[in-house]
């Protein structure tokens, strides 16, 4: 006898948590979840529906995507699968205001589940003696070029300009990057893409006007290229050496491709 399949919801105010019992196929689950959402939003006046599924259940994941649910996060080792092992759990949710039949529904859902990468923007400055500008921060031992992580929805160029203004009080206008590098996972960070611009040679009058961002930046340093490697990561040293030598292009882990 086939196991009976059913969907139910636990409601707390305007928030509901969807669950189901029994086994079924992806089409049936997607249709059942979508119908439950329509009823709970329309008849019950709920504003939000949540679902938690183990990451080892691709069928449920695909059904939730089809029903217009967005992934909101992942809880590590949060579900006991009955063998003493624990698996990660994905939390999905759908709001009563989320589009489900609009042209952007599929892309809006996929935007929450497809891989994302950090983007970083740094600027390579020199002085009249060929020295390289590096910043020493309060939170890490290695020094780095001016710049930082690009904000969501912010072009990398604009992010680098913003970071330079925040760190040094200097307004710059950048064009095309000199170097684009893929960074492999490192020290707990996932991989990323970094853009580095050549900010050119700064006049002494410009350097005299620096306003150091004291909460983040401990000190401003000008280093001879030969001394850079002593104060930066091996990856940064490779890239700065390339820039000093006039390299322009794409690298992976600081190595030209």
């Amino acid at each position: 006898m086939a196991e009976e399949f059913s969907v139910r919801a636990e409601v707390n105010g305007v928030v509901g948590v969807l669950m189901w019992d029994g086994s079924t196929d992806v089409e049936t689950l997607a249709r059942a979840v979508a119908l439950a959402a329509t009823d709970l939003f329309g008849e019950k006046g709920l504003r939000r529906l949540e679902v938690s599924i183990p990451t080892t259940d691709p069928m449920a994941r695909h059904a939730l995507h089809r029903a217009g649910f967005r992934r909101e996060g992942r809880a590590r080792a949060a579900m006991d699968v009955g063998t003493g092992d624990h698996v990660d759990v994905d939390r999905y949710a759908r709001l009563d205001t989320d589009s489900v039949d609009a042209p952007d529904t599929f892309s809006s859902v996929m935007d929450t589940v497809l891989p994302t990468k950090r983007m970083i923007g740094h600027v390579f400055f020199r002085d009249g003696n060929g020295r390289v500008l590096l910043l020493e921060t309060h939170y890490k031992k290695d020094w780095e070029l001016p710049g930082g992580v690009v904000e969501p929805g912010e072009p990398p160029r604009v992010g680098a300009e913003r970071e330079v203004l925040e760190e040094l009080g200097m307004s710059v206008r950048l064009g095309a990057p000199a170097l684009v590098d893929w960074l492999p996972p490192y020290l707990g960070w996932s991989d990323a893409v970094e853009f580095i611009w050549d900010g050119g040679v700064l006049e002494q009058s410009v350097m005299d006007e620096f306003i150091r961002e004291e909460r983040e930046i401990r000190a401003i340093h000008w280093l001879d290229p030969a001394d850079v490697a002593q104060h930066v990561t091996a990856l940064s040293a490779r890239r700065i050496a390339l820039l000093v030598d006039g390299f322009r292009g794409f690298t992976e882990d600081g190595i030209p491709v």
Side-chain angles (χ1 to χ4, degrees):
M1 182 175 179
E3 185 179 6
E4 184 177 351
F5 171 75
S6 63
V7 174
R8 67 186 192 279
E10 293 182 356
V11 177
N12 182 11
V14 295
V15 177
V17 178
L18 280 182
M19 293 165 282
W20 50 83
D21 298 304
S23 60
T24 185
D25 58 84
V26 64
E27 297 290 349
T28 301
L29 180 57
R31 185 166 59 254
V33 169
L35 288 173
T38 299
D39 176 64
L40 291 164
F41 288 141
E43 300 296 328
K44 308 299 184 183
L46 268 61
R47 303 294 301 277
R48 173 182 171 86
L49 282 176
E50 300 175 355
V51 184
S52 293
I53 62 169
T55 57
T56 52
D57 189 348
M59 190 274 287
R61 181 170 65 247
H62 293 153
L64 290 173
H65 295 170
R66 295 187 186 188
F69 280 69
R70 278 71 164 165
R71 193 177 76 176
E72 293 187 338
R74 175 168 292 178
R76 296 176 297 156
M79 181 178 289
D80 186 345
V81 293
T83 61
D85 296 325
H86 288 72
V87 297
D88 294 350
V89 171
D90 281 338
R91 168 170 284 186
Y92 280 81
R94 184 172 139 187
L95 306 182
D96 64 335
T97 54
D98 286 340
S99 62
V100 292
D101 297 314
D104 66 344
T105 298
F106 178 77
S107 55
S108 296
V109 171
M110 290 296 100
D111 189 54
T112 69
V113 299
L114 292 176
T116 59
K117 292 190 187 296
R118 288 176 299 119
M119 288 195 295
I120 305 166
H122 281 123
V123 186
F124 171 66
F125 294 108
R126 290 152 292 165
D127 68 2
N129 296 316
R131 296 181 302 174
V132 177
L133 174 60
L134 292 174
L135 302 183
E136 180 183 359
T137 67
H138 290 289
Y139 54 85
K140 60 191 296 188
K141 292 183 178 180
D142 52 279
W143 302 353
E144 59 184 22
L145 298 170
V149 176
V150 178
E151 297 291 343
E154 182 181 53
R157 175 186 56 81
V158 174
E161 293 172 348
R162 173 184 52 76
E163 286 283 344
V164 170
L165 180 61
E166 292 175 0
E167 294 173 342
L168 298 173
M170 180 174 65
S171 179
V172 295
R173 290 294 177 265
L174 304 171
L179 187 151
V180 178
D181 185 44
W182 172 78
L183 288 66
Y186 176 71
L187 287 180
W189 291 105
S190 58
D191 66 334
V193 176
E194 180 164 342
F195 298 80
I196 305 179
W197 281 265
D198 187 346
V201 176
L202 299 182
E203 300 291 338
Q204 186 62 51
S205 59
V206 174
M207 292 184 265
D208 290 341
E209 297 296 322
F210 281 168
I211 302 174
R212 177 171 57 90
E213 205 287 299
E214 297 182 357
R215 292 174 300 176
E216 180 180 356
I217 308 303
R218 183 188 300 275
I220 298 170
H221 301 280
W222 288 95
L223 293 184
D224 185 275
D227 298 325
V228 166
Q230 303 174 42
H231 300 282
V232 302
T233 64
L235 169 58
S236 292
R238 289 195 294 273
R239 297 186 309 199
I240 291 173
L242 287 171
L243 291 166
V244 168
D245 289 342
F247 174 85
R248 300 294 182 267
F250 176 72
T251 59
E252 293 177 355
D253 198 19
I255 300 171
V257 175

